[in-house]
Amino acid sequence: MIIERIWTGNAYRNFNYLIACPETGEALAIDPLDHGKCLQAAKAKGWQITQVLNTHEHHDHTGGNDAVIAATGAKLLAHEKAGSRIAGVNRGLKAGDVVKVGRTVELECLDTPGHTMCHICLQAHGDRPALFSGDTLFNAGAGNCHNGGDPVALYTSFVDQLARLPDDTQVYPGHDYIENNLKFTLDREPDNRDAQAMLPEVSGHDPATSVVTTLQQEKQINSFLRLSSPSLIARLRENFPDLPEQPDAKTVFIKLRELRNRW
C-alpha cells in the first residue's frame, strides 16, 4: 500500500489522499477536494484513479468528485445512507465492508457517526496499519458536530471503535489542525508532557511535511482520548462546577466537546 498525502493549502486546511496498489498502479482518492492536485499527483506517479471515496457529505470533502470522476471514470463510494446527500454514489458502504484497490490493498470500513451521522473511516490492516479518519478523529482532536452531527454518537465512535484499534495505527485525518488542537490539550491539561514536547515541533510547521501520529501518541496528546486524566477532570470542573467527583467518560467527552466549540 502506498499512501500519498496531499496538502491542499486551502483555508479549510484539508488533506486529500491517494491510496495506491504498488503492483497495478490503481488508486483510491479519499475526499479529493483539490481535484487538480490529486489528478496531478496520480499522473506524476503513473497511477490510475479507479475509485473516489467520501468519508462524509460536507462540501469540503465532496467538492472535487465531479472533476476527478470526469477525468478518470472512477466509481464513487460513500456511506450507505449518504446517497441523498452525495450525488452519484455507485457503492454504499456499511461497517465491515472492504474496499479493494488493485491486487494488494484492502481497507475495512468503520461506521463512525458523530461529526455527521453518515461518516465512515477506513482502516488498513497488515504491516502498516493506518486509519483514514476524515473529520472524526483529528491529530490531537475530535471533529465538531455543528452540521448534522451528534456528540454522544461521536463519543461512542471514539470509545467503542477508534480507541480499540492497534496502538501502532497511523492516523491520517481530513484536516491539519494539530497545532491548535495541542494548544487546547494544554489548556485542558497543562501538565501533559507529551503535548508540551510535541507543540514546538508543529508550531508554524509546513503541513505538507507534518508529523503523522500513531494512535498510541493520540492517547498521550488528545484530550478526547484522555477522559480519565485527573488533571483534565480537575480543570474541567473549573468550567463546570457541578461535575461529579468521579464523572463518567461520556460526561467528560461531552463537556470537552462543548468547550472546544467555543475555544
Side-chain angles (χ1 to χ4, degrees):
M1 178 179 70
I2 305 172
I3 301 171
E4 181 77 6
R5 183 178 65 175
I6 297 169
W7 167 239
T8 63
N10 66 10
Y12 299 107
R13 305 186 68 81
N14 287 83
F15 283 128
N16 300 166
Y17 297 95
L18 297 179
I19 312 302
C21 170
E23 292 187 7
T24 67
E26 295 174 63
L28 167 74
I30 299 178
D31 294 335
L33 174 64
D34 195 325
H35 52 86
K37 288 185 178 179
C38 290
L39 291 169
Q40 183 179 19
K43 182 178 180 180
K45 299 285 186 179
W47 298 339
Q48 176 65 34
I49 297 174
T50 57
Q51 299 174 90
V52 170
L53 183 142
N54 293 144
T55 57
H56 62 292
E57 68 269 24
H58 291 160
H59 182 73
D60 62 316
H61 293 256
T62 65
N65 289 358
D66 290 347
V68 173
I69 291 169
T72 65
K75 301 298 184 182
L76 180 59
L77 289 62
H79 192 285
E80 63 177 348
K81 296 180 180 178
S84 63
R85 301 175 176 89
I86 301 175
V89 175
N90 299 111
R91 180 186 175 190
L93 300 168
K94 62 182 183 299
D97 282 351
V98 174
V99 176
K100 296 183 179 180
V101 185
R103 286 196 292 265
T104 64
V105 180
E106 294 189 356
L107 304 165
E108 180 182 349
C109 295
L110 307 178
D111 190 345
T112 53
H115 176 64
T116 75
M117 301 311 287
C118 296
H119 193 298
I120 58 175
C121 295
L122 290 175
Q123 181 187 10
H125 302 283
D127 295 337
R128 189 180 181 184
L131 179 73
F132 301 93
S133 56
D135 286 6
T136 297
L137 170 65
F138 294 128
N139 300 132
N144 66 53
C145 304
H146 297 325
N147 299 299
D150 179 82
V152 175
L154 187 64
Y155 163 77
T156 301
S157 292
F158 262 64
V159 173
D160 291 349
Q161 296 191 72
L162 304 186
R164 298 182 180 182
L165 299 179
D167 279 348
D168 61 346
T169 301
Q170 293 182 303
V171 178
Y172 293 94
H175 298 265
D176 170 62
Y177 297 150
I178 188 169
E179 181 177 353
N180 205 38
N181 284 340
L182 283 172
K183 291 176 180 177
F184 178 75
T185 293
L186 290 170
D187 184 68
R188 296 293 88 210
E189 194 179 9
D191 59 347
N192 186 316
R193 294 185 179 180
D194 294 297
Q196 290 171 357
M198 185 173 288
L199 182 58
E201 298 178 17
V202 300
S203 295
H205 70 300
D206 177 3
T209 57
S210 182
V211 62
V212 176
T213 64
T214 65
L215 188 60
Q216 182 177 19
Q217 288 176 301
E218 289 299 320
K219 291 176 180 179
Q220 296 167 340
I221 63 173
N222 191 326
S223 297
F224 294 91
L225 289 167
R226 297 181 56 75
L227 304 177
S228 62
S229 164
S231 60
L232 185 150
I233 292 171
R235 179 94 165 111
L236 197 62
R237 190 170 287 109
E238 296 176 14
N239 298 93
F240 302 99
D242 295 336
L243 201 68
E245 185 62 30
Q246 294 184 325
D248 61 90
K250 181 168 72 173
T251 297
V252 174
F253 187 99
I254 299 302
K255 295 302 185 184
L256 281 174
R257 186 59 264 175
E258 182 180 336
L259 284 177
R260 186 66 178 86
N261 289 343
R262 58 178 187 264
W263 187 83

